[in-house]
C-alpha cells in the first residue's frame, strides 16, 4: 500500500478570496505531491511499506527522519484539505463548543490561542487543536511533526509553512490564520475527527 495524493474535496477556486486557486495548485499539486512521491521512494523496501499512514508516522519518528518528514506532511495535508471548506468558519458545533468552553475557557479564547500558536511557531510548522488525555488543547509543532507523536490526536490543524499563505498574504501570517479560523474551518470534519479521537 503506497501513499496516494487525494483530489481536493472542492474546486481549486472554491476557497477564494481566502485562499487562491494559485495557492491550492502549488500547495496540493506540487508540495503535497512531492511528500507523496518522496515518501513512497523512502518507504520502498522498509517494513513499514504496508502500514497505515498513522503507523508510518509514529514508527518513523526519531528513527528515520527523511521518511518521517514526508509521511508526517502527507498525514497533515490529507486532513488539512478536509479541515477547510467554502463558507467555513463560524461557530463550532454544539458538542465541540461545549468541550472548548470546558477545557479552554471560551470559543474566543480558543480562536485567540490557536491563532497565537500559529503566529509564534518559529519557521515552518503547524498549529493544532488536539485531544489529549480526554481534554482539548491548543498546541504547535515544527516542520512536518504532528500531535500523533506526542500522544495526542489532532482534530484541527493549520499549515503555517510559507507555501500555505505567501502568495495570498505575503508575510502576514496572522491575517492568514484569522481568515482560516473565521472563514475556512470545516467544523463538520473537526467534529468527525473528535468523535473518532474520544
Ligand atoms: Fe503545506
Amino acid at each position: 500500500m503506497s501513499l496516494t495524493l487525494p483530489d481536493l474535496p472542492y474546486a481549486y477556486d472554491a476557497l477564494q478570496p481566502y485562499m487562491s486557486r494559485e495557492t491550492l495548485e502549488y500547495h496540493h499539486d506540487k508540495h503535497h505531491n512531492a511528500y507523496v512521491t518522496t515518501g513512497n521512494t523512502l518507504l520502498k523496501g522498509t517494513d513499514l511499506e504496508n502500514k497505515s499512514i498513522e503507523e508510518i508516522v509514529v514508527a518513523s519518528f526519531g528513527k528515520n527522519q527523511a521518511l518521517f518528514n514526508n509521511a508526517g506532511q502527507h498525514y497533515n495535508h490529507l486532513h488539512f484539505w478536509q479541515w477547510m471548506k467554502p463558507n467555513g468558519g463560524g461557530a463550532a458545533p454544539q458538542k465541540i463548543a461545549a468541550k472548548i468552553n470546558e477545557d479552554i475557557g471560551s470559543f474566543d479564547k480558543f480562536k485567540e490561542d490557536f491563532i497565537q500558536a500559529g503566529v509564534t511557531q518559529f519557521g515552518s510548522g503547524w498549529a493544532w487543536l488536539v485531544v489529549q488525555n480526554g481534554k482539548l488543547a491548543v498546541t504547535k509543532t515544527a516542520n512536518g511533526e504532528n500531535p500523533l507523536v506526542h500522544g495526542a490526536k489532532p482534530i484541527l490543524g493549520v499549515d503555517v509553512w510559507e507555501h500555505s499563505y505567501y502568495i495570498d498574504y505575503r508575510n502576514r501570517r496572522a491575517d492568514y490564520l484569522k481568515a482560516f479560523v473565521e472563514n475556512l474551518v470545516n467544523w463538520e470534519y473537526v467534529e468527525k475527527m473528535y468523535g473518532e479521537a474520544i
Side-chain angles (χ1 to χ4, degrees):
M1 190 176 70
S2 52
L3 311 180
T4 345
L5 182 71
D7 289 336
L8 285 179
Y10 30 73
Y12 284 92
D13 59 3
L15 303 183
Q16 298 189 133
Y18 307 107
M19 192 174 281
S20 65
R21 165 188 281 274
E22 189 183 357
T23 290
L24 284 173
E25 283 173 350
Y26 273 88
H27 199 173
H28 175 272
D29 300 2
K30 308 285 184 198
H31 292 278
H32 189 175
N33 189 51
Y35 300 132
V36 168
T37 308
T38 311
N40 280 330
T41 304
L42 295 167
L43 262 177
K44 219 173 167 125
T46 71
D47 55 0
L48 297 175
E49 221 170 345
N50 296 310
K51 303 285 187 193
S52 70
I53 183 60
E54 289 83 359
E55 289 171 316
I56 296 168
V57 167
V58 172
S60 61
F61 182 61
K63 295 197 175 72
N64 182 341
Q65 187 66 41
L67 175 59
F68 173 75
N69 289 341
N70 288 280
Q73 283 291 71
H74 178 52
Y75 173 87
N76 297 346
H77 287 82
L78 282 177
H79 295 293
F80 183 57
W81 311 130
Q82 303 279 349
W83 278 320
M84 299 185 286
K85 67 169 193 179
N87 303 311
Q94 210 189 348
K95 204 161 84 177
I96 304 245
K99 188 71 178 151
I100 284 175
N101 287 342
E102 189 183 321
D103 296 338
I104 297 174
S106 68
F107 192 59
D108 282 346
K109 177 77 165 55
F110 153 72
K111 289 197 282 190
E112 195 184 306
D113 289 359
F114 187 78
I115 290 170
Q116 195 57 17
V119 166
T120 56
Q121 172 51 45
F122 187 75
S124 297
W126 294 75
W128 306 99
L129 176 63
V130 304
V131 179
Q132 185 151 30
N133 304 321
K135 283 188 183 299
L136 290 183
V138 171
T139 66
K140 61 186 175 183
T141 56
N143 301 318
E145 213 169 291
N146 65 44
L148 292 180
V149 301
H150 300 294
K153 292 197 174 145
I155 61 169
L156 175 64
V158 63
D159 190 339
V160 299
W161 286 56
E162 285 185 347
H163 66 220
S164 195
Y165 63 90
Y166 219 82
I167 291 170
D168 301 323
Y169 298 88
R170 297 299 168 190
N171 61 324
R172 293 176 290 113
R173 191 191 279 188
D175 290 353
Y176 155 68
L177 287 163
K178 191 165 185 290
F180 178 88
V181 170
E182 301 288 350
N183 305 103
L184 291 176
V185 173
N186 178 359
W187 282 107
E188 289 75 35
Y189 192 70
V190 177
E191 193 172 36
K192 179 175 173 281
M193 287 196 87
Y194 177 67
E196 289 162 6
I198 55 171

